[in-house]
Amino acid sequence: MKTTTIQKIKAHAILNQIPIIQDEVCSILKLLIETFHIKKVLEIGTATSYSAHVMASSGADVWTIERNTSRYEIAKKFLKDSDHQSQIHLIFDDALTHVLKENDFDLIFIDAAKSQYITFFEKYQHYLHPNGLMIVDNIFFHHLDPLSVKRPTRQLLKKIEKFKLFLSSHASFHSHIIDYGDGLSISYMNQDNYRDIVSIIQTSMDQI
């Protein structure tokens, strides 16, 4: 049986200890793309393009931004032989300063520097379609205990907690934090469109 590009990227990540989204997060992204007919995705943090391929495999076109030179080059090599080459648009730049030509994304997936979650959210919310979704990964950050880690990690955990407070008090977005993978936040403006989103995810995950 032919090894898919997604399988190759996952194997490469495991071998080289490159963080990728967990299997539960893969399932949720695919579920949401298919359930809500998401066609246009922006990803902040390509790494080697595993999650971009996961989302493209569900039918979405994905614009994905990566600032790390070596990981961008690896992603480019994987994309060269990929069946999803026409769907994935690699952007080599710093997402904190990049100016996108595209907008009106149906889904924005943030999986980059956790210390910058608020900055990423505030910047890229303006690129989101009014009926779109903002999803942020690693909200629990391995459930680390702030009292048992070194100061830099403790500071990072504080910034993640600050991001959670930012979401809970946001004037325009309604947010949920769900306990799958390493924790996901799901935010949206159109409450009518996503009223049942948590129950849809829970029902689907219970069946896996």
Side-chain angles (χ1 to χ4, degrees):
M1 184 173 67
K2 180 183 176 182
T3 303
T4 67
T5 301
I6 292 176
Q7 291 170 326
K8 291 177 183 177
I9 300 172
K10 186 174 184 178
H12 177 273
I14 293 170
L15 180 64
N16 293 279
Q17 298 183 322
I18 297 172
I20 56 175
I21 58 173
Q22 296 185 23
D23 291 345
E24 287 186 332
V25 178
C26 288
S27 298
I28 289 169
L29 289 174
K30 291 170 71 68
L31 170 70
L32 296 179
I33 289 170
E34 292 165 6
T35 301
F36 295 103
H37 310 292
I38 288 168
K39 298 301 181 186
K40 190 174 179 183
V41 175
L42 171 64
E43 178 183 48
I44 311 302
T46 311
T48 55
S49 77
Y50 179 67
S51 47
H53 272 84
V54 167
M55 293 185 284
S57 71
S58 293
D61 287 326
V62 183
W63 283 255
T64 179
I65 306 174
E66 177 57 53
R67 71 176 185 176
N68 181 286
T69 303
S70 61
R71 291 189 178 181
Y72 172 79
E73 290 299 330
I74 294 169
K76 196 161 66 169
K77 288 179 182 178
F78 278 124
L79 190 60
K80 184 178 179 181
D81 299 320
S82 171
D83 292 338
H84 301 292
Q85 188 178 62
S86 63
Q87 295 170 260
I88 299 175
H89 312 274
L90 296 179
I91 301 168
F92 178 54
D93 204 354
D94 189 334
L96 291 172
T97 57
H98 184 74
V99 179
L100 275 169
K101 297 176 182 178
E102 299 286 336
N103 56 27
D104 284 338
F105 289 94
D106 303 311
L107 168 63
I108 296 178
F109 179 56
I110 300 174
D111 188 17
K114 286 131 192 75
S115 62
Q116 301 294 337
Y117 275 174
I118 292 177
T119 303
F120 287 139
F121 196 104
E122 288 183 325
K123 175 177 180 175
Y124 287 103
Q125 64 180 325
H126 303 295
Y127 293 88
L128 186 69
H129 189 279
N131 293 327
L133 287 169
M134 293 275 281
I135 298 180
V136 182
D137 198 14
N138 304 120
I139 292 298
F140 294 149
F141 202 61
H142 317 301
H143 293 280
L144 292 176
D145 180 356
L147 299 177
S148 64
V149 296
K150 294 182 179 179
R151 187 173 182 277
T153 303
R154 190 160 58 249
Q155 293 300 316
L156 179 56
L157 293 173
K158 286 181 179 178
K159 288 182 178 180
I160 294 175
E161 288 303 313
K162 187 176 179 181
F163 176 65
K164 293 178 187 177
L165 291 173
F166 163 82
L167 290 181
S168 67
S169 60
H170 201 290
S172 301
F173 282 85
H174 185 76
S175 298
H176 302 280
I177 293 177
I178 59 174
D179 191 4
Y180 292 104
D182 193 28
L184 288 175
S185 68
I186 299 178
S187 306
Y188 49 85
M189 291 179 284
N190 188 336
Q191 293 191 42
D192 289 336
N193 201 39
Y194 298 109
R195 187 179 305 278
D196 299 321
I197 190 168
V198 173
S199 62
I200 289 170
I201 291 171
Q202 289 174 339
T203 299
S204 177
M205 296 304 289
D206 287 345
Q207 294 173 351
I208 293 176

